Amino acid sequence: MTVALPASLDPARLAHLALPLHRGSGGSGEIEVRMPFTGAVLTRLPETSVEQVGEAARIARAAQKSWAASAVASRAAVLQRWHDAVLGAADDLCDVVQAESGKSRRDAFEEVADVANTLRYYGLVAERMLEPKRRHGVLPLLTRTVELRHPHGLVGVISPWNYPLTLAAGDAIAALVAGNAVLHKPDSRTALTTLMVRELALGAGLPAGVWQVVVGDGAVVGPAVVGLSDHVVFTGSTATGRIVAEQAGRRLIGADLELGGKNPMIVCADASLARAVEGAVRGAFSSAGQLCLSIERIYVHRSVAGEFTARFAAAARKVKLGAAFGYRYDMGSLVGPAQLAKVQAHVDDAVARGASVLAGGAPRTGLGPYFFEPTVLTGVPSTATCFATETFGPVVSVYPVDTDEEAIAAANASEFGLNAAVYSRSVRHARAIAERLEAGTVNINEPYAAAWGSVDAPMGGVKASGIGRRHGRDGLLAHTWAQTIAAQRLWPVGEHGPLRGRVYQRLMTAGLKTLKGLRRP
Ligand code: NAD
């Protein structure tokens, strides 16, 4: 199987992209980056040693000082120019995302659009969100209180391979515009994507020093990054998230963790089945199911379960699989052999325990070494691995339910709580269900993109799906520490002059009651 590399990724270009990774002598080795479409070596990257991570951190810290001292408006202007550069380089970005991750063109472009969306948003709102805020003082008129937001300094970003552009740039954008430098460890399999979007940022005016990229074994380079950062943002598996949280906890630095999911979709009796089927296909098979927000469980009302399941299985069989740097196919490859083995093992285990395969169920190695068919299962027993464990592949199980109550209880019976979807013709009905779901984001009549793309609103998980939020005000302020400065005028807050003892107590009691009566917070 051969797939011609696009001209944008010729060897000279790849070597140029990797240049920022070279940091003098002392490197620990080379990393082979393979193309999932074919399994062939795409390029080799110099592995960053722990000492070089230290050097990268020093460069970033030095550059951060003048970056933080620059006006927020000028940092936001970099984001606005970067936005234009990202859209202008969309084809090259899609090429590199596809080459490294094996996903389809449309899944790759989704990442380009997402990054532009985030850049526009923070480019427009950062100044207002970061400006000093007047707060109510303890004594009205006498206490003048302001809240300031300072950057942490050096933010460690550790990102996975599955959305290499979105998850590399997304957190870096918020950290940078808040005035931080970023020490970034992308997954080695997809580091070129990070390097390309960083190159675009430098072209838009970002000082080179403030975004340092390091690559290498996660268990070695990852802890080095956490060990040198003032705050860390981690996206990846729940297992690794716990390790990062422990290390961050020992260092008493903040950690925002965006982790795994086992995301449910509820199809109500009154749902538009056409919409629900379209949403189920996109929700379960986008990026071949290697999406943290991916739908892996569908609870469908029994009155429509037969029709929904038949239509969904038929639609899954129609998904076009293949390797191409263009829009010919709907779904691409899994990222590599370990992912393929896991997906196959989940399907085999479910089938061995009595599940039925309504669509897919098998690898498609004729298309490329790691392709796997969009797979729809029914009758998955609770003993099957894929009943509760994240597959992170194109495998989804459909379960009939008799009532909304049963659907809600089943959806919530999970250690995870990242994303959920509810399909109903009545938004009011769907909203009532959504509010009872234990998930950080719930989409109505859409599998994941409505909530994720609403970057003005916070996004993140509950339970084992993580702590902290990206996007919106929360996602920006997470990259800052708050400082309260309160100036007291004319009269001190405590006992003073004749106002002492019981007199002071009576005055304070009357004052507090008055404030409550005036409904002043
Ligand atoms: P992973 O945890 O194996 O790796 C994620 C990153 O952590 C990689 O860069 C890796 O090199 C690094 N890493 C590995 N060991 C480390 C350590 N000891 N200390 C610090 N860093 C270390 O995850 P993965 O399998 O590559 O990614 C898939 C997982 O990520 C899935 O569970 C998926 O649900 C989750 N994910 C979550 C979100 C979200 O926003 N919630 C988004 C995408 C992916």
Side-chain angles (χ1 to χ4, degrees):
M1 179 81 210
T2 54
V3 180
L5 260 191
S8 67
L9 300 179
D10 66 40
R13 174 78 175 119
L14 295 179
H16 181 78
L17 272 179
L19 277 180
L21 295 175
H22 293 269
R23 280 180 214 299
S25 58
S28 29
E30 266 194 344
I31 300 163
E32 263 183 1
V33 180
R34 287 180 179 273
M35 233 182 16
F37 278 162
T38 60
V41 174
L42 178 65
T43 192
R44 290 183 174 78
L45 302 175
E47 189 168 28
T48 317
S49 66
V50 169
E51 294 71 36
Q52 286 170 338
V53 177
E55 176 59 12
R58 275 190 293 280
I59 293 170
R61 281 192 187 282
Q64 189 262 341
K65 293 191 174 34
S66 52
W67 176 243
S70 65
V72 181
S74 72
R75 302 200 296 260
V78 171
L79 267 52
Q80 297 285 5
R81 292 193 294 272
W82 186 7
H83 165 275
D84 298 347
V86 162
L87 290 180
D91 286 332
D92 288 4
L93 285 166
C94 285
D95 288 345
V96 73
V97 168
Q98 284 200 277
E100 289 192 311
S101 71
K103 64 178 64 182
S104 71
R105 192 73 168 184
R106 72 176 191 195
D107 290 334
F109 180 71
E110 188 179 33
E111 297 198 50
V112 174
D114 175 68
V115 168
N117 194 34
T118 305
L119 283 166
R120 185 203 69 252
Y121 174 70
Y122 280 129
L124 291 173
V125 303
E127 196 178 359
R128 183 165 38 84
M129 283 181 183
L130 293 171
E131 71 191 2
K133 301 279 185 310
R134 277 288 299 275
R135 298 293 177 207
H136 293 293
V138 57
L139 298 183
L141 305 177
L142 300 183
T143 319
R144 194 183 170 88
T145 303
V146 288
E147 175 192 328
L148 304 186
R149 289 286 169 169
H150 298 287
H152 292 299
L154 183 60
V155 171
V157 174
I158 300 177
S159 57
W161 48 266
N162 64 320
Y163 271 67
L165 180 56
T166 282
L167 297 172
D171 294 320
I173 291 165
L176 290 167
V177 79
N180 297 284
V182 167
L183 181 59
H184 187 173
K185 197 211 86 60
D187 192 292
S188 306
R189 283 166 282 192
T190 54
L192 291 170
T193 301
T194 298
L195 292 164
M196 191 182 280
V197 74
R198 175 184 176 276
E199 185 182 72
L200 294 168
L202 302 199
L206 184 77
V210 296
W211 187 355
Q212 296 292 311
V213 181
V214 296
V215 288
D217 182 5
V220 177
V221 175
V225 168
V226 180
L228 291 165
S229 301
D230 302 316
H231 184 84
V232 64
V233 186
F234 170 84
T235 309
S237 63
T238 297
T240 312
R242 290 187 206 279
I243 296 172
V244 169
E246 280 173 17
Q247 193 188 353
R250 278 197 304 277
R251 295 201 55 230
L252 292 179
I253 61 167
D256 293 315
L257 309 170
E258 303 277 352
L259 310 176
K262 185 76 187 173
N263 308 300
M265 171 190 273
I266 294 175
V267 181
C268 299
D270 65 350
S272 154
L273 293 192
R275 285 285 298 275
V277 166
E278 184 277 333
V281 169
R282 206 154 34 86
F285 307 132
S286 283
S287 287
Q290 302 165 117
L291 162 63
C292 56
L293 309 170
S294 188
I295 300 298
E296 294 199 1
R297 309 178 279 153
I298 300 180
Y299 301 103
V300 50
H301 197 276
R302 201 175 294 279
S303 61
V304 293
E307 188 184 348
F308 168 81
T309 311
R311 286 169 67 171
F312 177 39
R317 285 190 289 267
K318 280 200 196 123
V319 172
K320 282 188 280 171
L321 257 68
F325 289 93
Y327 280 97
R328 210 171 330 147
Y329 300 111
D330 303 321
M331 195 178 109
S333 171
L334 295 172
V335 76
Q339 208 62 24
L340 178 67
K342 185 178 174 201
V343 169
Q344 183 73 73
H346 276 208
V347 173
D348 291 348
D349 167 77
V351 170
R353 293 172 192 273
S356 304
V357 179
L358 297 195
R364 291 284 293 279
T365 41
L367 302 172
Y370 316 122
F371 279 81
F372 198 91
E373 294 171 335
T375 300
V376 179
L377 302 176
T378 54
V380 174
S382 61
T383 50
T385 307
C386 73
F387 183 84
T389 305
E390 183 185 46
T391 302
F392 218 56
V395 180
V396 57
S397 309
V398 182
Y399 305 91
V401 289
D402 288 307
T403 61
D404 289 351
E405 288 303 316
E406 190 186 340
I408 293 166
N412 287 341
S414 169
E415 65 168 319
F416 296 110
L418 188 57
N419 180 46
V422 183
Y423 277 76
S424 165
R425 281 198 175 85
S426 161
V427 172
R428 182 191 294 260
H429 178 200
R431 167 92 187 260
I433 293 173
E435 288 177 11
R436 295 177 58 198
L437 294 178
E438 295 162 3
T441 52
V442 186
N443 293 266
I444 293 176
N445 296 325
E446 167 61 38
Y448 63 87
W452 174 277
S454 299
V455 287
D456 190 32
M459 192 278 144
V462 294
K463 303 196 277 189
S465 290
I467 49 177
R469 292 291 180 266
R470 56 164 57 104
H471 293 171
R473 191 172 174 276
D474 300 36
L476 182 62
L477 297 188
H479 293 287
T480 66
W481 56 274
Q483 181 181 46
T484 299
I485 300 180
Q488 192 63 23
R489 298 190 298 165
L490 302 176
W491 203 263
V493 179
E495 291 179 289
H496 183 65
L499 303 181
R500 295 181 183 278
R502 295 217 54 93
V503 177
Y504 176 77
Q505 181 180 334
R506 271 201 297 275
L507 188 71
M508 282 302 284
T509 303
L512 288 166
K513 285 182 174 174
T514 304
L515 289 177
K516 180 166 180 273
L518 294 171
R519 304 185 64 76
R520 180 190 175 281

